[in-house]
Amino acid sequence: MGFSFFYKKKERPFLVLDVGTEAVKVLACRKENNKTVILGAATQYFERYGVFNGQDFAAEIIKKAILKAIAGAEQDFIIYSERAKMPALVTLPPDVLRAEIIEQTFRQKDSKKKIARKEEKIILEQVFKGAQEGISQTFFKKFGILPKDINWISFNILNIKVDGYSVRWVQGYNGRELKFKILVIFSPKYYFESAQKILESLKLRVSKIIHLTEVLPVVFGEKISDGIFIDVGGRISQIFLIKNEELMQFRELEKGGEIFTQKLSETLGIDIESARIFKEKYASKQLSPESEQRIREIFLKEKRTWYESLDIFSSPIFLFGGASLLPEIRETPGESKVFYPKDLSNIEDTTNKINVPQYTPSLLIAQFYGKEILRHNSSSR
């Protein structure tokens, strides 16, 4: 899937639909010159946990949450009548929309012959096929999912080397060994098709299904060329290593804010929703010092589990996502900083709602799309 259409002059508004493991975030945006203007924003939590666990893809619960989030954004900006016309950028939960970085090597028989355009196409087809096979084998061993049950979404070349020298493309070069670093976005077919049906039923004009690995180097690279970025989600956190504006590594950590919510629920004997609200008040310093101290004691084991699972020894570390405000996560060892929406440049928030790092991933996607609009309009002049 690619960006299906762009607009010049005054851009048509677009939607960002960020579906996580716990909640749905919706932004209604417009690109105005170099700024991304936020016209509407809303968050809606799922009515129950685990809607994406195993084979339990609770379509009606997910659809209901998306509709409520869109309705919340509509209170700021009337988008209902325009919804079918507006491009929508969609990201799905990390266990539904997957990303892997894989390296592939292609060896030429004639190292002195320059690579023509037709040969480049054949080479890329072979390395992409090799990437598919490598990921399929790993995925089958880990989850038991067959290659035929994987939906391949995109292949993005991060780096190419010809006999050890970095190049932007292979056409016109000669050499023996061609090395490719490839970012592959894919999804288990069952989950992906279920998500597609939900989006179609909502009459959303999906412009692109997008993963944060595609977004971060483009948006952050200009401002922060090196660092570790952690999107602290509900059940799954995503860790990105960027060096010299290039995505070097990516991995998922099957831990996030949910372990703290569950601990509060079990210890205090309250339901999950009440525990989540209590946790958020603790994270935003709305509790008394005595209550804060009590929760810190409750979270001691979970804090240690988080640190040990993280296994990061370099810095700087930039944290964002719904659970990044928890002291137990903010105090991640090393030079760590919570990345707020206000830390992003060229954002105009007309709603005064997006002041928490829970919205940072959605804003990154909005800015990425804005950059694509500018790039497309510049190249078409």
Side-chain angles (χ1 to χ4, degrees):
M1 292 185 186
F3 290 95
S4 56
F5 51 90
F6 297 88
Y7 299 88
K8 295 184 180 181
K9 297 180 181 178
K10 189 173 182 179
E11 307 293 344
R12 184 186 294 276
F14 62 91
L15 287 178
V16 174
L17 179 60
D18 182 356
V19 184
T21 56
E22 282 188 319
V24 177
K25 279 86 68 184
V26 170
L27 296 180
C29 314
R30 177 185 281 124
K31 190 69 182 176
E32 292 183 5
N33 299 318
N34 290 324
K35 288 192 301 185
T36 301
V37 181
I38 310 304
L39 306 168
T43 296
Q44 178 63 45
Y45 284 87
F46 296 121
E47 289 182 349
R48 65 176 173 83
Y49 272 27
V51 293
F52 292 100
N53 288 350
Q55 294 296 310
D56 183 17
F57 198 100
E60 286 306 312
I61 291 177
I62 297 165
K63 183 177 176 180
K64 187 176 180 181
I66 293 173
L67 284 171
K68 282 187 175 181
I70 291 175
E74 284 175 352
Q75 293 177 6
D76 304 316
F77 172 67
I78 303 302
I79 61 174
Y80 183 80
S81 60
E82 291 285 316
R83 191 193 307 166
K85 300 177 183 178
M86 293 168 66
L89 283 87
V90 179
T91 189
L92 300 170
D95 50 354
V96 175
L97 189 62
R98 301 270 182 172
E100 291 282 350
I101 296 174
I102 188 168
E103 293 188 351
Q104 291 289 297
T105 300
F106 182 91
R107 290 180 175 84
Q108 292 220 96
K109 293 179 180 178
D110 186 352
S111 62
K112 295 181 180 180
K113 182 183 176 183
K114 287 188 176 181
I115 299 169
R117 185 175 182 179
K118 185 178 179 181
E119 291 170 318
E120 181 183 52
K121 184 179 179 182
I122 293 170
I123 290 169
L124 291 179
E125 286 175 354
Q126 289 192 31
V127 297
F128 289 162
K129 183 181 178 183
Q132 278 187 352
E133 291 172 352
I135 291 171
S136 295
Q137 290 175 11
T138 303
F139 211 61
F140 176 72
K141 288 177 183 177
K142 192 172 182 180
F143 300 104
I145 295 177
L146 296 170
K148 67 180 181 64
D149 294 322
I150 296 176
N151 190 81
W152 304 99
I153 298 169
S154 66
F155 297 84
N156 305 287
I157 296 175
L158 301 178
N159 185 274
I160 306 173
K161 287 185 177 180
V162 177
D163 289 341
Y165 293 94
S166 292
V167 297
R168 294 183 66 183
W169 47 75
V170 297
Q171 183 182 340
Y173 289 92
N174 61 286
R176 175 70 66 188
E177 187 176 75
L178 314 180
K179 286 192 173 183
F180 298 83
K181 182 186 281 188
I182 306 164
L183 170 65
V184 184
I185 311 299
F186 63 101
S187 176
K189 195 168 286 185
Y190 166 77
Y191 282 146
F192 190 76
E193 290 177 352
S194 298
Q196 279 186 313
K197 287 177 183 177
I198 292 171
L199 296 171
E200 287 169 5
S201 71
L202 294 169
K203 302 189 185 306
L204 292 174
R205 187 170 183 174
V206 178
S207 179
K208 186 174 176 67
I209 302 287
I210 196 164
H211 194 279
L212 275 181
T213 48
E214 301 172 270
V215 171
L216 259 70
V218 176
V219 179
F220 275 139
E222 296 176 357
K223 188 173 182 179
I224 307 169
S225 59
D226 300 277
I228 295 170
F229 299 82
I230 306 177
D231 178 13
V232 189
R235 186 161 47 84
I236 298 173
S237 297
Q238 300 179 93
I239 303 172
F240 314 80
L241 171 62
I242 294 178
K243 190 173 182 180
N244 296 325
E245 301 183 23
E246 181 183 323
L247 179 66
M248 304 300 292
Q249 294 178 20
F250 166 74
R251 68 183 175 95
E252 293 174 354
L253 176 64
E254 292 193 6
K255 285 181 176 57
E258 188 175 300
I259 61 171
F260 297 94
T261 304
Q262 289 176 335
K263 183 64 176 180
L264 271 183
S265 175
E266 293 166 6
T267 305
L268 302 180
I270 57 179
D271 61 74
I272 288 290
E273 178 65 11
S274 299
R276 179 186 63 77
I277 294 169
F278 199 25
K279 179 192 71 177
E280 289 177 355
K281 287 183 177 180
Y282 164 67
S284 57
K285 299 185 180 299
Q286 296 180 41
L287 301 179
S288 67
E290 294 79 12
S291 296
E292 280 192 15
Q293 182 57 36
R294 171 64 177 138
I295 294 178
R296 276 188 173 272
E297 292 168 0
I298 292 172
F299 284 165
L300 277 175
K301 182 180 177 182
E302 282 62 36
K303 179 179 180 178
R304 186 166 58 251
T305 300
W306 167 258
Y307 289 172
E308 290 172 353
S309 301
L310 207 54
D311 192 26
I312 289 176
F313 302 100
S314 60
S315 56
I317 299 170
F318 300 95
L319 303 160
F320 52 87
S324 61
L325 287 179
L326 278 171
E328 287 68 21
I329 289 175
R330 279 193 286 112
E331 294 163 7
T332 294
E335 183 190 337
S336 60
K337 175 186 184 298
V338 176
F339 206 96
Y340 288 86
K342 64 181 176 60
D343 296 320
L344 289 168
S345 57
N346 300 320
I347 295 284
E348 181 182 332
D349 177 21
T350 64
T351 69
N352 294 316
K353 285 183 177 180
I354 55 168
N355 55 357
V356 290
Q358 184 179 34
Y359 279 111
T360 300
S362 308
L363 284 168
L364 291 171
I365 293 170
Q367 283 205 315
F368 174 82
Y369 185 66
K371 287 177 181 291
E372 288 294 309
I373 290 174
L374 289 175
R375 183 187 60 79
H376 182 273
N377 289 347
S378 296
S379 63
S380 62
R381 284 173 187 158

